[in-house]
Amino acid sequence: MAGNERVAVVTGASRGIGREIARQLARREIRVVLTGRDAAKGEAALSALAAEELRARFHELDVRKPEQALALMNWLDHEYGRLDILVNNAGVLLDPKGARVATIDVDIVLATLETNVLGPLLVTQAVLPLMRKVGHGRIVNLSSGLGQLESMEAGTPAYRISKVALNALTRTLAAELRGTGIKVNSMCPGWVRTDMGGASAPRSPEEAADTAVWLATLPDDGPSGGFFRDRKQIPW
Ligand code: NAP
């Protein structure tokens, strides 16, 4: 491949917002690696892209499995020798209807944190050496308005706690990486028509992906350590 072609990894990319982020990145002539738990779903997503004459590749990645994150890193190093963009999109919303902090099953909280917080942490740890190698990187964490402390309300406690923690990961990592050329930001896609958001959500995956792609392709003087919706900074 040509030396200046950017390489992007999107987690949980075989459906929903992740799939659309992968599509929009591929349209910008970025080498996109869709990752997910299920190879058959991944291949179906690649076929949909191919129908639009967009090229991408699939690699297995359950974000809860450190050995798979490491295998991905080794594969990326072998195939491309670099990674420019990581979109930590994979996420779960496991709170039952009406869930409250006072009564929620802690196993639900743990399972949510495992995917939504430890997942991005593990994947980031695994691939960061590739970004450091080229002295350049963009990490985008798919957070949520439900993780905004400013407007924190009752309901969906496991999910809210996980997105607050993900935002803390964004800020602390951005501070750690200051001056390295690697930028880390959180974004809220809004309420989106996906399996998670449901059919009555007002936003399309296309609209939701826009800010993620913008953050993934920020210029060198772009922000780091922020929280964004619709390309605008929002309060934590
Ligand atoms: P979705 O339709 O439910 O898709 C979730 C994706 O995450 C799927 O590809 C799923 O893969 C993947 N995933 C789940 N657990 C995984 C794991 N352990 N390893 C790898 N992949 C895993 O959700 P979405 O609406 O596209 O949401 C994407 C992101 O946006 C999430 O982080 C979500 O919290 C955030 N968000 C969504 C909304 C909304 O309204 N939809 C609002 C705010 C924030 P499988 O097919 O294997 O399950």
Side-chain angles (χ1 to χ4, degrees), residues 5 9 14 32 35 46 59 78 83 86 135 166 182 188 194 212 225:
E5 278 180 310
V9 162
S14 47
V32 182
T35 66
L46 288 186
H59 199 280
H78 180 262
L83 179 67
L86 168 65
L166 179 65
I182 305 171
C188 165
T194 60

Side-chain angles (χ1 to χ4, degrees), residues 178-193:
R178 211 173 280 139
T180 63
I182 305 171
K183 296 180 187 297
V184 192
N185 289 290
S186 278
M187 56 89 58
C188 165
W191 182 21
V192 190
R193 286 188 297 281

Side-chain angles (χ1 to χ4, degrees), residues 158-215:
Y159 186 77
R160 284 184 189 274
I161 292 165
S162 76
K163 294 302 188 183
V164 173
L166 179 65
N167 284 347
L169 190 156
T170 295
R171 287 192 68 167
T172 191
L173 182 62
E176 250 177 66
L177 293 174
R178 211 173 280 139
T180 63
I182 305 171
K183 296 180 187 297
V184 192
N185 289 290
S186 278
M187 56 89 58
C188 165
W191 182 21
V192 190
R193 286 188 297 281
T194 60
D195 294 337
M196 183 184 290
S200 51
R203 290 196 160 200
S204 65
E206 288 80 358
E207 289 169 295
D210 174 75
T211 297
V213 171
W214 173 68
L215 290 170

Side-chain angles (χ1 to χ4, degrees), residues 12 15 17 37 41 61-63 89 143 159 163 190 192 194:
R15 61 187 170 97
I17 299 169
R37 297 187 277 196
K41 280 192 202 169
L61 179 64
D62 182 329
V63 299
N89 164 80
S143 183
Y159 186 77
K163 294 302 188 183
V192 190
T194 60

Side-chain angles (χ1 to χ4, degrees), residues 24-236:
Q24 291 189 20
L25 288 172
R27 287 168 78 172
R28 290 173 172 242
E29 298 185 355
I30 292 167
R31 302 258 172 168
V32 182
V33 179
L34 283 77
T35 66
R37 297 187 277 196
D38 182 330
K41 280 192 202 169
E43 292 304 326
L46 288 186
S47 301
L49 290 180
E52 291 184 60
E53 297 187 0
L54 295 174
R55 277 182 311 141
R57 296 174 77 183
F58 177 80
H59 199 280
E60 181 185 42
L61 179 64
D62 182 329
V63 299
R64 298 167 300 181
K65 300 192 172 160
E67 69 281 5
Q68 290 190 1
L70 212 56
L72 171 69
M73 191 279 276
N74 287 328
W75 180 82
L76 289 166
D77 198 18
H78 180 262
E79 295 294 308
Y80 305 105
R82 64 189 291 160
L83 179 67
D84 302 273
I85 295 166
L86 168 65
V87 182
N88 284 311
N89 164 80
V92 290
L93 197 175
L94 303 173
D95 296 79
K97 205 167 185 297
R100 291 292 182 267
V101 172
T103 50
I104 191 161
D105 182 340
V106 291
D107 287 341
I108 290 176
V109 181
L110 282 173
T112 306
L113 292 174
E114 193 182 13
T115 298
N116 293 6
V117 185
L118 292 182
L121 177 71
L122 283 172
V123 178
T124 301
Q125 283 184 338
V127 302
L128 209 47
L130 288 175
M131 289 186 170
R132 286 193 191 273
K133 196 160 93 174
V134 288
H136 169 91
R138 304 289 180 261
I139 299 173
V140 183
N141 292 328
L142 269 280
S143 183
S144 167
L146 293 179
Q148 268 183 294
L149 287 167
E150 195 209 29
S151 52
M152 193 61 62
E153 268 295 339
T156 52
Y159 186 77
R160 284 184 189 274
I161 292 165
S162 76
K163 294 302 188 183
V164 173
L166 179 65
N167 284 347
L169 190 156
T170 295
R171 287 192 68 167
T172 191
L173 182 62
E176 250 177 66
L177 293 174
R178 211 173 280 139
T180 63
I182 305 171
K183 296 180 187 297
V184 192
N185 289 290
S186 278
M187 56 89 58
C188 165
W191 182 21
V192 190
R193 286 188 297 281
T194 60
D195 294 337
M196 183 184 290
S200 51
R203 290 196 160 200
S204 65
E206 288 80 358
E207 289 169 295
D210 174 75
T211 297
V213 171
W214 173 68
L215 290 170
T217 56
L218 283 175
D220 289 342
D221 61 354
S224 185
F227 192 12
F228 296 87
R229 182 191 292 128
D230 295 334
R231 301 192 181 200
K232 293 193 181 67
Q233 189 141 14
I234 57 173
W236 297 104

